[in-house]
Amino acid sequence: MALNAWIKDYATSRGYVYVDYHSAMKDERDGLPATLSKDGVHPTAAGYAVMAPLAEAGIEKALKAKNRE
């Protein structure tokens, strides 16, 4: 949790896009649920299916910001 907060703050303070996978994928333990990861760390295909649209939205946001420069 602390690392995620630091990364978000770092990205925000420098004007970078931050993609928050954690909030979209966490379970009641604040970890990856068995439905998205077999080992609690590495995503399965189902986990990547959750991550893909978030990554695409982050890329789109970054490209729009770049084009405004």
Side-chain angles (χ1 to χ4, degrees), residues 14-29:
R14 286 162 177 73
Y16 302 148
V17 174
Y18 172 75
V19 177
D20 182 8
Y21 296 120
H22 177 76
S23 294
M25 299 175 73
K26 70 179 182 167
D27 62 11
E28 66 280 349
R29 305 170 296 117

Side-chain angles (χ1 to χ4, degrees), residues 48-63:
Y48 284 117
V50 173
M51 295 170 73
L54 298 173
E56 290 169 0
I59 292 166
E60 183 69 26
K61 185 175 179 180
L63 290 174

Side-chain angles (χ1 to χ4, degrees), residues 3 13 17 24 27 30 32 37 40-41 43 46 58 63-66 69:
L3 179 59
S13 71
V17 174
D27 62 11
D30 280 331
L32 282 172
S37 174
V41 177
L63 290 174
K64 285 182 181 177
K66 177 76 172 155
E69 291 180 350

